[in-house]
Amino acid sequence: MSSRDLILSRIRASIGRGAPADGAVLAPHLAARTRGPAPGGAWCDSREGLLQRFTERATALASTVERVPSWAEVPAAAAAYLIARELPTRAVCWPSLADQAWAGAGLQVEARPSRGDDLVGITSTFCAVADTGTLMLLSGADTHAATSLLPETHIAVVPVERVVPLMEDGFALLRAEKGEAPRAVNFVSGPSRTADIEQTVTLGAHGPYRVHLILVG
């Protein structure tokens, strides 16, 4: 064992975590795996436990979360969320989401990066981390960072098979599927916030005011 591995093993032992798995985890083309008890309980021992943990953590960070059974229900869910809050029904989305039936749900959605004046951005995610309620987004030609960063409202579609237990699992999945990191990896943990002014938390200071997560599956 190298000095680095020894140090990391001691850190993991001190916080009650075992070593991260080597290789791919929880991808659509791979079998789901389970882990031993994690800090806070054995929530990561099942798929439903992971999703419950993710929902709890994301909600604690001021995101809203709902679950639909299939991709066919995503446009209607997005439309219902926006209409219920009297938000704009015009949005931009990642190209990978362009073929969804947005118009049939009453939404006007363009597959392009946000130009700064778009109020709603719809993305998917590379994976989501249950332990922290965080989305892991990779920059790329078809995964524009601006779509999640510039609009006031960010709607993220999260396939349930892309929810991983820990941050280490997200990076393991990145290595397994991509080989090397993209130019940027963005982590979204709820709406943008700052407490720079008199230690008062303000949402939407340098990003979305609201984040809505649609779990699919």
Side-chain angles (χ1 to χ4, degrees), residues 129-152:
V129 181
D131 193 37
T132 59
T134 300
L135 304 180
M136 185 175 182
L137 285 72
L138 311 184
S139 65
D142 293 328
T143 53
H144 315 119
T147 307
S148 66
L149 296 175
L150 296 182
E152 293 182 354

Side-chain angles (χ1 to χ4, degrees), residues 14-205:
S14 69
I15 61 176
R17 292 181 180 175
D22 184 21
V25 293
L26 297 174
H29 58 287
L30 298 171
R33 67 175 178 83
T34 59
R35 300 174 63 97
W43 52 266
C44 56
D45 286 342
S46 69
R47 168 61 47 194
E48 289 304 317
L50 277 179
L51 297 178
Q52 180 178 350
R53 175 71 170 188
F54 175 72
T55 299
E56 291 172 350
R57 298 300 296 159
T59 301
L61 293 168
S63 294
T64 51
V65 184
E66 69 174 302
R67 186 173 177 181
V68 297
S70 70
W71 281 90
E73 282 75 33
V74 168
Y81 170 80
L82 295 172
I83 293 171
R85 290 158 180 80
E86 298 183 347
L87 297 172
T89 55
R90 190 181 190 94
V92 293
C93 74
W94 282 356
S96 60
L97 301 175
D99 61 352
Q100 297 297 309
W102 304 116
L107 301 179
Q108 294 177 280
V109 179
E110 298 180 58
R112 59 169 174 80
S114 173
R115 292 191 290 253
D117 57 350
D118 300 293
L119 298 180
V120 179
I122 305 175
T123 74
S124 186
T125 184
F126 177 71
C127 70
V129 181
D131 193 37
T132 59
T134 300
L135 304 180
M136 185 175 182
L137 285 72
L138 311 184
S139 65
D142 293 328
T143 53
H144 315 119
T147 307
S148 66
L149 296 175
L150 296 182
E152 293 182 354
T153 300
H154 175 202
I155 297 176
V157 186
V158 184
V160 296
E161 67 271 15
R162 304 296 293 188
V163 179
V164 300
L166 305 172
M167 191 69 73
E168 296 94 323
D169 298 306
F171 282 108
L173 187 60
L174 174 61
R175 290 191 296 270
E177 293 190 353
K178 302 297 183 180
E180 61 182 29
R183 177 176 296 179
V185 179
N186 295 311
F187 295 97
V188 175
S189 299
S192 166
R193 68 194 69 204
T194 184
D196 290 342
I197 302 175
E198 297 183 351
Q199 300 301 298
T200 300
V201 176
T202 302
L203 298 183

